[in-house]
Amino acid sequence: MNKEQFKKFTEHLLKNNKVIAPQYNAEGKLIIDELRELSDLFLGPELPLDSWKWFMLPPKMKMFDYKKNVITEALPKIKKQIFLGVSILDLQALTLLNQVFEQDAYYQEIKKNTIIIGTSHVPKENFYQYFSSFEENKLEHLQFDIFLALQNGDYKIYTGSEDGQRLLDNSGYKDYQHIEYAGPIREEGLDQQMVSVMDAMQNYHDQKIWDDLGKRCMQCGKCTIACPVCFCFRMFDKSYLEKGSGERDRVWDSCYYNEFTQVAGVTPDAPKHRMMSTTAQKIYFWYEHHFVRTPATYSLPGCVGCGRCTRTCPADIDIFQTQKDILAARQKAKK
Ligand code: SF4
Ligand code: SF4
């Protein structure tokens, strides 16, 4: 797809759909928002600090209303939308969320109404080695509808679904290749970087790493908000003034917040009993979630290396450095 064809295709998208895409706002900040003008579209290696999670798994979702004994499910009312310009790293993140929320009717309702158009742009600060260069054979392990692979200034077009094919056909563009999703596990096996970090965390634990980070972390939870694959939530019940009625909402939560691990079993000595009481425990739990539990459960990396957590952290905690420290502890123990 050359530049002229790309312009025609994106004009077709904008004319007929709600398109959400990376763009710079008036303050010069790269954001993801509804695209009003084609000239605002940004496709390049920089990543916005916010991620597609805001649209695919919104921070607050109503689950149901209740009135007396009647519960009415409140599936999200969402019109068809197109995510245009999802970096390959963020595609990996969405592929994981698709698995985590595979049985979740609320997430699936949004997914059903969303067309995802990925790109091969990889941010310079990416530390996930697998995506340091784009190769066609990586696409069969990512979920997308259309993929734009940059080639000498033009785009080679791939489709990953019938919806993607239909969209291209309707725009008048037919020169695409279809790729069938082959699941998370690659022919060569599990991702080696993922396996090494998992092994180091499970078998060569160095408490000093976590104690040092625990002294710096302020438990603000910003990293969990910025991370495209952090998906923990809490339920929040709200009563209406009318007797016997109210609603239940699902809202983002963070494992850094004290309430997150508060458990029942209150005693006078421990009025707020928690499973994790120190910051060092919390930060370890967060890393363990990304580097051990998620890969073990979904066979997918629980961190796509986007660096958003590092960019947003007020304590300058750098996940790239922490990963190096985890691997160094493993090397040291092996000597
Ligand atoms: S680099 Fe940080 S923000 Fe990005 S996926 Fe990994 S943990 Fe999440
Ligand atoms: S953003 Fe930094 S300081 Fe805040 S909770 Fe995360 S690691 Fe801790």
Side-chain angles (χ1 to χ4, degrees):
M1 187 180 273
N2 62 29
K3 287 193 176 64
E4 205 41 51
Q5 290 166 321
F6 180 70
K7 185 165 174 280
K8 193 174 156 219
F9 171 60
T10 43
E11 277 170 355
H12 171 82
L13 295 184
L14 260 189
K15 198 168 150 203
N16 302 297
N17 306 277
K18 177 180 176 181
V19 177
I20 298 167
Q23 55 199 283
Y24 281 95
N25 67 8
E27 288 83 48
K29 195 174 138 205
L30 187 59
I31 57 164
I32 299 175
D33 205 351
E34 185 168 351
L35 191 67
R36 308 275 176 196
E37 300 287 336
L38 196 50
S39 54
D40 291 339
L41 174 66
F42 172 82
L43 295 184
E46 286 86 36
L47 281 183
L49 189 54
D50 45 0
S51 75
W52 304 90
K53 177 175 84 170
W54 287 83
F55 300 93
M56 207 63 172
L57 189 66
K60 179 181 165 193
M61 287 172 95
K62 193 203 269 190
M63 303 276 98
F64 57 78
D65 292 297
Y66 64 86
K67 199 167 184 182
K68 302 238 163 87
N69 292 332
V70 180
I71 288 179
T72 312
E73 194 176 40
L75 285 178
K77 291 189 181 62
I78 183 155
K79 288 195 186 133
K80 279 269 177 210
Q81 57 183 3
I82 295 178
F83 292 177
L84 172 60
V86 181
S87 142
I88 197 163
L89 291 184
D90 283 341
L91 268 190
Q92 178 80 81
L94 287 174
T95 301
L96 173 63
L97 290 184
N98 289 346
Q99 284 209 41
V100 175
F101 291 93
E102 196 175 7
Q103 305 293 329
D104 183 83
Y106 301 88
Y107 180 92
Q108 291 302 325
E109 187 65 20
I110 297 179
K111 182 170 177 276
K112 194 173 80 188
N113 287 296
T114 304
I115 296 269
I116 294 177
I117 304 182
T119 72
S120 58
H121 294 288
V122 180
K124 291 181 203 87
E125 67 269 28
N126 163 40
F127 80 114
Y128 181 38
Q129 288 141 14
Y130 181 67
F131 286 132
S132 56
S133 65
F134 169 72
E135 284 144 37
E136 189 181 294
N137 63 1
K138 295 178 180 175
L139 288 180
E140 62 180 354
H141 302 292
L142 295 169
Q143 290 179 307
F144 57 87
D145 296 287
I146 296 174
F147 189 85
L148 314 172
L150 197 60
Q151 266 185 1
N152 306 322
D154 293 339
Y155 287 116
K156 181 165 183 193
I157 307 297
Y158 298 90
T159 58
S161 73
E162 284 182 15
D163 282 347
Q165 291 174 336
R166 207 170 301 120
L167 192 58
L168 283 162
D169 290 344
N170 290 342
S171 78
Y173 191 81
K174 309 261 182 210
D175 183 15
Y176 53 79
Q177 182 182 334
H178 187 69
I179 305 262
E180 204 62 39
Y181 180 59
I185 302 177
R186 305 163 198 155
E187 272 168 32
E188 66 274 20
L190 293 174
D191 181 271
Q192 276 316 298
Q193 187 179 2
M194 176 178 101
V195 170
S196 305
V197 185
M198 229 174 137
D199 169 52
M201 281 196 75
Q202 286 180 305
N203 301 315
Y204 305 97
H205 183 87
D206 181 352
Q207 186 57 35
K208 189 171 178 314
I209 296 172
W210 312 106
D211 288 342
D212 289 348
L213 291 176
K215 285 180 197 143
R216 293 164 58 197
C217 171
M218 304 165 197
Q219 303 183 25
C220 66
K222 278 163 155 271
C223 49
T224 55
I225 294 169
C227 178
V229 293
C230 267
F231 53 77
C232 292
F233 56 80
R234 76 171 68 183
M235 294 302 188
F236 185 76
D237 287 341
K238 193 159 80 188
S239 295
Y240 299 154
L241 284 178
E242 194 186 342
K243 203 173 164 190
S245 67
E247 69 177 61
R248 173 166 293 180
D249 299 331
R250 182 164 84 184
V251 294
W252 287 358
D253 204 350
S254 168
C255 53
Y256 287 99
Y257 299 158
N258 282 337
E259 297 79 11
F260 185 83
T261 52
Q262 200 165 309
V263 290
V266 173
T267 66
D269 296 340
K272 286 193 172 171
H273 187 59
R274 284 184 206 114
M275 287 164 69
M276 291 182 293
S277 51
T278 69
T279 316
Q281 285 172 328
K282 288 179 186 181
I283 202 155
Y284 177 80
F285 181 86
W286 188 79
Y287 276 87
E288 193 194 29
H289 172 91
H290 289 272
F291 289 142
V292 179
R293 288 194 305 274
T294 297
T297 310
Y298 300 102
S299 304
L300 278 169
C303 167
V304 300
C306 67
R308 288 182 172 102
C309 53
T310 304
R311 283 164 65 193
T312 198
C313 178
D316 290 332
I317 291 176
D318 180 345
I319 192 165
F320 303 1
Q321 184 57 48
T322 307
Q323 190 187 215
K324 281 186 200 150
D325 294 344
I326 294 168
L327 291 170
R330 175 179 178 243
Q331 286 310 110
K332 201 169 134 197
K334 276 185 167 176
K335 275 184 189 162

